[in-house]
Amino acid sequence: MARSTASGKGSTRSAFDRFADRLMDVDRAYGDERERAVLMEANAFGLSIGIFAALFAALVLAVVGQLLAPLLFVMLAILPASAAGLYARRRQVDAVELAERTGARSTQVATVVIGLLVVLVFAAMAVTVYADGPLVAAPTQRPSEGVWGGMVQGGVVGGMLGGLATAVGGLVTIAKARRAVG
């Protein structure tokens, strides 16, 4: 049986699709339908734990006055979720629309919590940048002045706004799902 492609153009597949096929090996690696469903649920659970662990680490590091390490952990939290979303979209599945249509409350709540954790991480970083010291005293470098200091200040404010936008987007999704489901 021929494999369907994400683009729907026969054998023309992007490098991303070829990489994902090779990495996932979906046709052979996941057993029967029940086993595949359980494994996909387990992977989603693991992804969720990884995202929350990375954001928790980012928050702890930000509270003690670190600036670069929390940013790295936020990026590590976002990367797997972004890759999963891209993978789904390449196969014509819109996770946001699905959550809105089905009322997947756990997904919606997780989105809000993740957004708020990102806000807290960048808020703790903002304390370090603007108050010239961390929330909890620990050996740390002070943010530099000048051009670098301005970039850091803009980055922490932008991070807070991005986290807030994520949380608001999650709330909008919850509202749309409530209208669609009930």
Side-chain angles (χ1 to χ4, degrees):
M1 172 155 78
R3 229 182 196 175
S4 65
T5 63
S7 64
K9 297 180 181 178
S11 64
T12 305
R13 294 175 26 239
S14 72
F16 174 83
D17 292 320
R18 290 189 306 272
F19 172 74
D21 286 347
R22 186 174 305 242
L23 180 68
M24 299 297 296
D25 196 19
V26 173
D27 289 341
R28 294 184 300 184
Y30 297 113
D32 65 26
E33 288 181 29
R34 185 195 68 78
E35 291 167 331
R36 182 181 290 201
V38 169
L39 189 55
M40 293 303 146
E41 290 171 7
N43 287 334
F45 176 73
L47 173 68
S48 298
I49 294 299
I51 289 169
F52 284 111
L55 290 175
F56 179 74
L59 181 59
V60 169
L61 290 166
V63 165
V64 297
Q66 298 297 308
L67 295 176
L68 185 57
L71 181 60
L72 177 63
F73 276 97
V74 168
M75 291 171 59
L76 287 173
I78 292 170
L79 180 63
S82 297
L86 177 60
Y87 185 91
R89 276 192 308 279
R90 297 288 301 169
R91 282 141 185 86
Q92 289 76 44
V93 174
D94 182 345
V96 173
E97 187 272 332
L98 185 62
E100 290 172 356
R101 183 169 36 92
T102 62
R105 183 124 175 104
S106 62
T107 301
Q108 298 160 353
V109 171
T111 301
V112 173
V113 171
I114 288 168
L116 293 175
L117 281 171
V118 170
V119 169
L120 289 175
V121 167
F122 283 96
M125 291 169 66
V127 168
T128 299
V129 171
Y130 289 105
D132 199 30
L135 286 169
V136 175
T140 183
Q141 285 183 300
R142 301 287 182 227
S144 61
E145 296 180 5
V147 173
W148 174 247
M151 289 173 33
V152 170
Q153 291 171 352
V156 296
V157 171
M160 286 189 296
L161 292 175
L164 183 59
T166 301
V168 169
L171 292 172
V172 168
T173 299
I174 290 171
K176 285 182 180 179
R178 283 187 180 154
R179 285 193 296 267
V181 173

